[in-house]
Amino acid sequence: MAKTWKDNDISLDPIKAQTIAVIGYGIQGDAQANNMKDSGLKVIVGLKKGGNSWKKAESDGHIVMSVSDACKKADIIHVLLPDMIQSQVYKDEIGPNLSEGKALSFSHAAAIHWKWIDAPKNVDIIMVAPKGPGSKVRETYLDNFGTPSIVAVHQDFTGKAWDRTLGIAKAIGSARAGLIQTTFQEEVETDWFGEQADLCGGSASMVKAAFETLVEAGYQPEIAYFEVLHELKLIVDMIQRYGINGMWRRVSETARYGGLTRGPMVITDDAKANMKKVLTMIQDGTFNKEWISEYQKNGKDSFDKYMKETEAHQIEKVGKQMRKMMWPDSTE
């Protein structure tokens, strides 16, 4: 069993005197910086001068400075930048100001595990990875609860890396829900696999294939949209709240029998074998090399051609109309 912690297991005292520089103020940076500040920690925010987030961070009550200056002042440098720019920002601004005994902290392990960042041996390297988007991290904190996190120490130079890791996790509210120990390798490999095989890639591909099957059989696209996409959230919510068997107990008997007997006809051993191929390509570095090469050549255009294909798909055209009907004030 993995080691776990709850809120009462952790004290903020070991890190209360330390300055934490949150580098980046996107959805995670915003949420984590504000939660740590509200928990009484000394937080500063490091941003690109003149960037869009500078005024927002200041309006939220933070001391804001350049990334270089923030890293000079900080004891803990908490990097919450997009994956693909971390390496360059580290090289230009973080690394030159990473002196002995400081901590380099992340919410995703890719930059360290794949050596996009080659950190020195005389610092702590730690991770606090909330299992939810930044909006949820902030929302649950304000509701006096939290979003669970997985936590890891990759390098403990000071002997106090776990105090720093658990302190950050408590301060952002995650320990209220629960913390689970992991490793940098396990976090990045399982995170990428989940995104590719199940959460994003697998689910989107399954929904499109189910939609196409119904429409090609002559059913109305609007009805197909409801049955294979719209109602999926209801099922996922039940699985998340009650587990898979708990979901089966809460659907109709017909859905229960049909799903239990026909689901394995759709997700076959071949599908599982393909999932293993996806996992192997993550584990052996194939995907990492492909992604880095593609991004270096094309930047954010790397995925545009795939997104344009989806945008042109009938399910998206129908979906826009259906969502306007259900949420008339929403914008996409």
Side-chain angles (χ1 to χ4, degrees), residues 70-114:
C71 293
K72 287 175 189 174
K73 291 181 68 72
D75 301 291
I76 300 170
I77 300 166
H78 193 36
V79 182
L80 296 176
L81 298 165
D83 285 350
M84 303 314 291
I85 68 169
Q86 287 185 14
S87 177
Q88 193 63 48
V89 174
Y90 177 85
K91 181 180 177 182
D92 294 343
E93 301 187 76
I94 299 173
N97 299 294
L98 190 60
S99 54
E100 182 173 313
K102 293 191 177 190
L104 193 58
S105 178
F106 300 87
S107 282
H108 182 43
I112 294 296
H113 178 66
W114 296 115

Side-chain angles (χ1 to χ4, degrees), residues 37-262:
K37 177 171 69 72
D38 290 351
S39 292
L41 297 187
K42 295 168 64 176
V43 178
I44 58 177
V45 176
L47 295 173
K48 180 181 178 181
K49 287 184 177 179
N52 295 331
S53 300
W54 191 291
K55 287 184 179 179
K56 185 177 190 313
E58 282 187 331
S59 70
D60 288 339
H62 294 291
I63 297 170
V64 188
M65 57 191 74
S66 70
V67 173
S68 294
D69 288 343
C71 293
K72 287 175 189 174
K73 291 181 68 72
D75 301 291
I76 300 170
I77 300 166
H78 193 36
V79 182
L80 296 176
L81 298 165
D83 285 350
M84 303 314 291
I85 68 169
Q86 287 185 14
S87 177
Q88 193 63 48
V89 174
Y90 177 85
K91 181 180 177 182
D92 294 343
E93 301 187 76
I94 299 173
N97 299 294
L98 190 60
S99 54
E100 182 173 313
K102 293 191 177 190
L104 193 58
S105 178
F106 300 87
S107 282
H108 182 43
I112 294 296
H113 178 66
W114 296 115
K115 296 183 170 52
W116 303 343
I117 291 173
D118 187 15
K121 300 294 184 185
N122 62 352
V123 300
D124 293 341
I125 303 176
I126 65 178
M127 179 180 66
V128 178
K131 292 291 95 184
S135 56
K136 197 71 173 177
V137 173
R138 185 61 175 159
E139 177 187 325
T140 54
Y141 179 91
L142 293 174
D143 287 340
N144 294 312
F145 193 54
T147 301
S149 280
I150 58 176
V151 294
V153 169
H154 183 73
Q155 186 168 285
D156 187 1
F157 172 78
T158 65
K160 298 178 180 179
W162 275 111
D163 286 340
R164 289 167 150 173
T165 306
L166 297 176
I168 291 172
K170 179 182 177 75
I172 66 171
S174 285
R176 299 171 183 172
L179 310 176
I180 301 175
Q181 184 176 357
T182 186
T183 65
F184 273 51
Q185 178 180 357
E186 183 176 58
E187 189 277 335
V188 70
E189 290 178 356
T190 57
D191 181 75
W192 281 6
F193 176 78
E195 292 169 350
Q196 294 173 26
D198 177 15
L199 306 176
C200 303
S203 63
S205 295
M206 182 189 69
V207 167
K208 285 197 294 183
F211 177 86
E212 290 166 1
T213 300
L214 286 178
V215 172
E216 288 166 9
Y219 298 102
Q220 295 181 81
E222 293 81 3
I223 303 301
Y225 179 88
F226 267 122
E227 297 302 336
V228 306
L229 189 152
H230 179 75
E231 292 191 29
L232 181 62
K233 182 182 184 302
L234 308 176
I235 302 302
V236 171
D237 285 349
M238 281 194 282
I239 291 174
Q240 185 184 59
R241 178 70 178 83
Y242 303 109
I244 294 174
N245 249 19
M247 176 273 292
W248 288 130
R249 294 189 191 99
R250 286 165 174 82
V251 297
S252 71
E253 291 183 344
T254 304
R256 190 182 311 154
Y257 179 78
L260 286 165
T261 59
R262 269 50 178 184

